[in-house]
Amino acid sequence: MNKYYPFENPPLPYSYDALNPYIDTKTMELHHDKHLQTYVDNLNKILKDSGFQNLSLEQLIYNADKLPEDISEPVRNNAGGVYNHIFYFNGMINSPLKSPVGNLLNAINKEFGNFENFKKEFKNSAMSVFGSGYAWLVKDKGKLKIITTPNQNSPIEQWLCPILNIDVWEHAYYLKNYNVRSDYIENWFNVVNWEAAEKNYNLCS
Ligand code: MN
Protein backbone atom coordinates (compact mmCIF):
# COMPACT_ATOMS: atom_id res chain seq x y z
CA MET A 1 0.00 0.00 0.00
CA ASN A 2 0.95 3.63 -0.31
CA LYS A 3 2.42 4.44 3.11
CA TYR A 4 2.16 8.19 2.57
CA TYR A 5 -0.48 10.78 1.78
CA PRO A 6 -2.61 10.43 -0.22
CA PHE A 7 -3.38 7.04 1.27
CA GLU A 8 -5.02 4.37 -0.82
CA ASN A 9 -7.18 1.36 -0.13
CA PRO A 10 -5.15 -1.63 -1.31
CA PRO A 11 -7.18 -4.41 -2.94
CA LEU A 12 -7.78 -7.50 -0.82
CA PRO A 13 -5.01 -10.07 -1.32
CA TYR A 14 -7.75 -12.59 -2.30
CA SER A 15 -11.20 -12.46 -3.88
CA TYR A 16 -14.23 -11.27 -1.92
CA ASP A 17 -15.62 -14.79 -1.80
CA ALA A 18 -12.32 -16.49 -0.90
CA LEU A 19 -13.11 -16.88 2.79
CA ASN A 20 -16.44 -18.66 2.32
CA PRO A 21 -18.00 -20.45 4.10
CA TYR A 22 -16.30 -18.91 7.14
CA ILE A 23 -16.66 -15.25 6.26
CA ASP A 24 -19.27 -14.35 3.67
CA THR A 25 -18.78 -12.40 0.45
CA LYS A 26 -21.13 -9.51 1.30
CA THR A 27 -19.38 -8.90 4.60
CA MET A 28 -16.00 -8.81 2.88
CA GLU A 29 -17.27 -6.43 0.18
CA LEU A 30 -18.75 -4.00 2.68
CA HIS A 31 -15.86 -4.31 5.09
CA HIS A 32 -13.21 -3.56 2.48
CA ASP A 33 -15.00 -1.29 0.00
CA LYS A 34 -17.05 0.75 2.48
CA HIS A 35 -15.59 0.57 5.98
CA LEU A 36 -11.88 0.62 5.14
CA GLN A 37 -12.48 3.02 2.25
CA THR A 38 -14.15 5.48 4.64
CA TYR A 39 -11.13 5.46 6.93
CA VAL A 40 -8.83 6.07 3.96
CA ASP A 41 -11.01 8.93 2.65
CA ASN A 42 -11.37 10.53 6.09
CA LEU A 43 -7.65 10.34 6.78
CA ASN A 44 -6.85 12.03 3.46
CA LYS A 45 -9.45 14.73 4.17
CA ILE A 46 -8.07 15.42 7.64
CA LEU A 47 -4.48 15.66 6.39
CA LYS A 48 -5.25 17.71 3.28
CA ASP A 49 -4.21 21.16 4.51
CA SER A 50 -2.72 20.03 7.81
CA GLY A 51 0.99 20.33 7.03
CA PHE A 52 1.48 16.74 8.20
CA GLN A 53 1.24 15.01 4.83
CA ASN A 54 4.90 14.00 5.10
CA LEU A 55 4.24 11.54 7.96
CA SER A 56 3.85 7.85 7.15
CA LEU A 57 0.83 5.91 8.33
CA GLU A 58 2.83 4.48 11.25
CA GLN A 59 4.31 7.86 12.16
CA LEU A 60 0.82 9.37 12.26
CA ILE A 61 -0.22 6.69 14.75
CA TYR A 62 2.93 7.03 16.89
CA ASN A 63 2.60 10.82 16.97
CA ALA A 64 -1.18 11.24 17.13
CA ASP A 65 -0.90 12.66 20.67
CA LYS A 66 1.49 15.38 19.57
CA LEU A 67 -0.62 16.64 16.67
CA PRO A 68 -2.74 19.79 17.01
CA GLU A 69 -5.79 19.21 19.19
CA ASP A 70 -8.32 19.51 16.37
CA ILE A 71 -6.79 16.66 14.35
CA SER A 72 -5.18 14.50 17.07
CA GLU A 73 -8.16 12.25 17.82
CA PRO A 74 -9.45 12.09 14.23
CA VAL A 75 -5.95 11.06 13.05
CA ARG A 76 -5.70 8.39 15.75
CA ASN A 77 -9.09 6.95 14.78
CA ASN A 78 -8.68 7.05 11.03
CA ALA A 79 -4.98 6.20 10.68
CA GLY A 80 -5.62 3.37 13.14
CA GLY A 81 -8.66 2.33 11.10
CA VAL A 82 -6.53 2.10 7.96
CA TYR A 83 -3.62 0.31 9.63
CA ASN A 84 -5.73 -2.15 11.64
CA HIS A 85 -7.96 -3.12 8.72
CA ILE A 86 -5.10 -3.73 6.30
CA PHE A 87 -3.40 -5.82 8.97
CA TYR A 88 -6.62 -7.78 9.54
CA PHE A 89 -7.28 -8.45 5.84
CA ASN A 90 -3.67 -9.49 5.25
CA GLY A 91 -3.93 -11.83 8.22
CA MET A 92 -6.55 -14.03 6.56
CA ILE A 93 -6.43 -16.53 3.69
CA ASN A 94 -8.25 -19.57 2.39
CA SER A 95 -5.64 -22.22 3.16
CA PRO A 96 -5.56 -25.79 4.41
CA LEU A 97 -3.02 -24.64 7.02
CA LYS A 98 -5.05 -24.37 10.24
CA SER A 99 -2.38 -23.87 12.86
CA PRO A 100 0.81 -21.89 13.40
CA VAL A 101 4.15 -22.91 11.95
CA GLY A 102 7.85 -22.37 12.50
CA ASN A 103 9.21 -19.96 15.09
CA LEU A 104 5.74 -18.70 15.94
CA LEU A 105 4.54 -22.21 16.74
CA ASN A 106 7.51 -22.69 19.08
CA ALA A 107 6.85 -19.35 20.77
CA ILE A 108 3.12 -20.15 21.19
CA ASN A 109 3.95 -23.52 22.73
CA LYS A 110 6.41 -21.84 25.07
CA GLU A 111 4.09 -19.04 26.17
CA PHE A 112 0.69 -20.75 26.17
CA GLY A 113 1.56 -24.45 26.60
CA ASN A 114 0.02 -25.49 23.30
CA PHE A 115 -2.00 -24.19 20.38
CA GLU A 116 -5.36 -25.22 21.88
CA ASN A 117 -4.66 -23.18 25.02
CA PHE A 118 -3.61 -20.24 22.90
CA LYS A 119 -6.87 -20.48 20.92
CA LYS A 120 -8.89 -20.53 24.11
CA GLU A 121 -7.11 -17.50 25.54
CA PHE A 122 -7.28 -15.57 22.28
CA LYS A 123 -10.99 -16.29 21.95
CA ASN A 124 -11.65 -15.21 25.53
CA SER A 125 -9.84 -11.94 24.90
CA ALA A 126 -11.73 -11.33 21.67
CA MET A 127 -15.00 -12.06 23.52
CA SER A 128 -14.02 -9.65 26.32
CA VAL A 129 -13.82 -6.58 24.06
CA PHE A 130 -16.70 -4.38 25.23
CA GLY A 131 -18.25 -2.66 22.23
CA SER A 132 -15.94 -2.24 19.25
CA GLY A 133 -12.29 -3.09 18.98
CA TYR A 134 -9.74 -5.79 18.29
CA ALA A 135 -7.87 -8.65 19.90
CA TRP A 136 -4.20 -8.96 18.98
CA LEU A 137 -1.32 -11.32 19.34
CA VAL A 138 1.74 -9.11 19.84
CA LYS A 139 5.35 -9.43 20.79
CA ASP A 140 6.35 -7.30 23.77
CA LYS A 141 10.01 -7.25 24.80
CA GLY A 142 10.61 -10.69 23.34
CA LYS A 143 7.45 -12.28 24.76
CA LEU A 144 4.15 -13.16 23.13
CA LYS A 145 1.11 -11.46 24.60
CA ILE A 146 -2.60 -11.30 23.81
CA ILE A 147 -4.06 -7.83 24.18
CA THR A 148 -7.21 -5.97 23.19
CA THR A 149 -7.57 -2.44 21.85
CA PRO A 150 -10.75 -0.35 21.89
CA ASN A 151 -12.14 1.37 18.79
CA GLN A 152 -9.38 1.84 16.21
CA ASN A 153 -6.51 2.15 18.67
CA SER A 154 -3.47 0.25 17.53
CA PRO A 155 -0.83 -1.65 19.52
CA ILE A 156 1.95 0.13 17.66
CA GLU A 157 0.99 3.23 19.74
CA GLN A 158 2.34 1.31 22.73
CA TRP A 159 5.42 0.12 20.79
CA LEU A 160 4.10 -3.45 20.71
CA CYS A 161 4.89 -5.52 17.62
CA PRO A 162 1.68 -6.92 16.05
CA ILE A 163 1.57 -10.49 14.77
CA LEU A 164 -2.14 -11.22 14.30
CA ASN A 165 -5.42 -9.39 14.88
CA ILE A 166 -9.14 -10.01 14.76
CA ASP A 167 -11.61 -7.21 14.15
CA VAL A 168 -14.56 -7.67 16.52
CA TRP A 169 -16.56 -4.63 15.46
CA GLU A 170 -20.05 -5.90 14.69
CA HIS A 171 -19.66 -4.95 11.02
CA ALA A 172 -17.09 -7.77 10.76
CA TYR A 173 -19.71 -10.45 11.41
CA TYR A 174 -23.24 -9.15 11.86
CA LEU A 175 -24.60 -10.13 8.41
CA LYS A 176 -23.60 -13.77 8.88
CA ASN A 177 -23.44 -14.37 12.62
CA TYR A 178 -25.85 -11.64 13.81
CA ASN A 179 -24.93 -10.87 17.39
CA VAL A 180 -23.06 -14.13 18.02
CA ARG A 181 -19.45 -13.02 18.17
CA SER A 182 -18.24 -16.42 19.39
CA ASP A 183 -19.35 -18.11 16.13
CA TYR A 184 -17.48 -15.49 14.13
CA ILE A 185 -14.31 -16.05 16.15
CA GLU A 186 -14.55 -19.83 15.64
CA ASN A 187 -15.01 -19.26 11.89
CA TRP A 188 -12.15 -16.80 11.76
CA PHE A 189 -9.75 -19.40 13.18
CA ASN A 190 -10.29 -21.37 9.94
CA VAL A 191 -9.04 -18.52 7.78
CA VAL A 192 -6.05 -17.26 9.76
CA ASN A 193 -3.04 -16.74 7.51
CA TRP A 194 -0.48 -18.49 9.71
CA GLU A 195 2.29 -17.95 7.17
CA ALA A 196 1.71 -14.20 7.32
CA ALA A 197 1.66 -14.40 11.13
CA GLU A 198 4.95 -16.28 11.07
CA LYS A 199 6.45 -13.59 8.83
CA ASN A 200 5.20 -10.85 11.16
CA TYR A 201 6.62 -12.70 14.15
CA ASN A 202 10.03 -13.00 12.53
CA LEU A 203 10.03 -9.25 11.79
CA CYS A 204 9.50 -8.40 15.48
CA SER A 205 12.64 -7.85 17.52
MN1 MN B 1 -13.69 -3.40 10.67
Side-chain angles (χ1 to χ4, degrees), residues 31-32 35-36 39 81 84-85 88-89 133-134 152 167-172 184:
H31 207 168
H32 177 271
H35 290 278
L36 173 51
Y39 289 113
N84 296 344
H85 277 104
Y88 168 72
F89 291 135
Y134 292 77
Q152 293 297 354
D167 183 342
V168 294
W169 286 57
E170 279 186 346
H171 65 233
Y184 159 65

